[in-house]
Amino acid sequence: MPEGDTVWNTAQLLGGALAGQTIRHSDFRVPALATVDLAGWRVRECASRGKHLLLRVEDPASGKALTLHSHLRMDGSWRIYGPGERWRGRPAHLIRVVLRTPGPVAVGFHLHELALVPTDREETLVGHLGPDLLGPADAPGGWDADEAVRRLRARPDGTIAEALLDQRCLAGLGTLYKAEVLFRRGVHPRTPVSTVDDLESMVDVAHRLINANRGRWTQATTGSTRRGEEVYVYGRAGSPCRRCGTAIRFDRLGDRVTYWCPSCQPAP
Ligand SMILES: [Zn+2]
């Protein structure tokens, strides 16, 4: 499940492979960008902002800077292949973009919201986001716990489960971390934001859990990365709670799934 940490890792992967490389051939397989040609452009870096990826390129001749924006949603991914290597792993019809350099080839599968904007206009795409759980505190849109709490408090009537997923409040959480954070705090997903008594701790747990998984592809919130032990409640409907043994519940809230322990997280 691509959440902020997966997107952060992907930015490291792309930036590590492509930064400093000159694109020899680009192939965009989405209608809006079908005529774009980035041949000759140099890759500067790749950054993440919440669950958004920003691949920054520049034209050495003109100095013009562009940002290729992409979003992984449920199933998108970027893969890096060596020159001449077969593009294994995902079917070719899911390819949305190919960037070839003299060295690595970057292939984007099933990417969403692909857009190319001048780098100085990135905010038109990501400026609405709340503080980025994985962003440095000194970067634009970076982590700011007080601001995240303020934004959560600004929507008191909604449920805490929906508020944690609202990327305008804090950016980076998806359904896995949402469920795990609520379990760790003993808060039922349907609790109205206005009655959660310690939003500061909620935000702090979210920040710690997601950052603990930065730099690895396993998402663990229990302290164990062993298969089957990684999480407390997410994806464990019907299984016994790791703390109290009660069967974990599962339900839809809006269009998103949520998991909780009815004993550890009593209904509001
Ligand atoms: Zn329990």
Side-chain angles (χ1 to χ4, degrees):
M1 177 71 58
E3 303 201 21
D5 53 336
T6 304
V7 178
W8 188 92
N9 290 343
T10 301
Q12 302 298 305
L13 177 77
L14 278 178
L18 299 181
Q21 297 275 358
T22 298
I23 297 168
R24 203 180 60 201
H25 183 261
S26 67
D27 177 7
F28 288 91
R29 302 184 188 176
V30 292
L33 300 178
T35 60
V36 169
D37 180 5
L38 291 178
W41 288 63
R42 199 176 67 89
V43 177
R44 286 172 50 212
E45 60 187 354
C46 189
S48 62
R49 184 93 162 257
K51 294 195 262 182
H52 300 248
L53 276 164
L54 304 167
L55 183 70
R56 297 174 182 135
V57 297
E58 68 186 358
D59 176 15
S62 66
K64 199 172 160 190
L66 293 175
T67 295
L68 177 63
H69 170 274
S70 57
H71 197 291
L72 305 181
R73 286 203 203 153
M74 300 296 279
D75 55 356
S77 63
W78 279 94
R79 303 271 175 99
I80 298 289
Y81 299 97
E85 185 184 347
R86 270 193 65 199
W87 300 347
R88 295 172 190 278
R90 302 202 67 178
H93 73 269
L94 293 180
I95 294 174
R96 298 293 178 267
V97 56
V98 180
L99 300 175
R100 293 174 188 274
T101 74
V105 182
V107 183
F109 293 91
H110 216 187
L111 300 174
H112 304 270
E113 300 171 41
L114 267 178
L116 198 60
V117 298
T119 296
D120 60 12
R121 297 197 62 221
E122 278 178 5
E123 293 302 305
T124 60
L125 297 174
V126 294
H128 65 289
L129 296 173
D132 179 3
L133 285 153
L134 291 140
D138 56 355
W143 184 234
D144 180 341
D146 293 341
E147 175 65 9
V149 169
R150 193 190 67 74
R151 289 181 177 225
L152 287 170
R153 284 215 174 94
R155 44 169 302 166
D157 300 331
T159 67
I160 187 63
E162 290 167 301
L164 289 175
L165 289 180
D166 186 338
Q167 304 296 303
R168 295 168 298 183
C169 293
L170 61 176
L173 297 184
T175 52
L176 185 150
Y177 287 110
K178 170 203 68 178
E180 297 298 300
V181 168
L182 290 172
F183 176 81
R184 290 282 293 264
R185 293 296 305 148
V187 173
H188 191 281
R190 291 188 188 276
T191 309
V193 174
S194 59
T195 64
V196 176
D197 59 8
D198 193 353
L199 282 173
E200 287 80 4
S201 294
M202 182 84 71
V203 160
D204 181 55
V205 169
H207 186 242
R208 282 191 287 111
L209 285 187
I210 200 166
N211 276 278
N213 288 306
R214 211 165 60 156
R216 67 180 182 216
W217 298 94
T218 305
Q219 291 168 313
T221 60
T222 56
S224 171
T225 54
R226 285 175 60 177
R227 199 175 174 81
E229 296 181 358
E230 302 99 320
V231 293
Y232 286 105
V233 292
Y234 180 80
R236 298 191 65 242
S239 298
C241 172
R242 299 193 195 282
R243 282 205 182 130
C244 73
T246 305
I248 300 299
R249 296 277 301 276
F250 157 90
D251 201 358
R252 291 185 183 279
L253 196 56
D255 58 347
R256 310 292 289 270
V257 295
T258 196
Y259 299 85
W260 74 98
C261 170
S263 300
C264 295
Q265 298 165 265

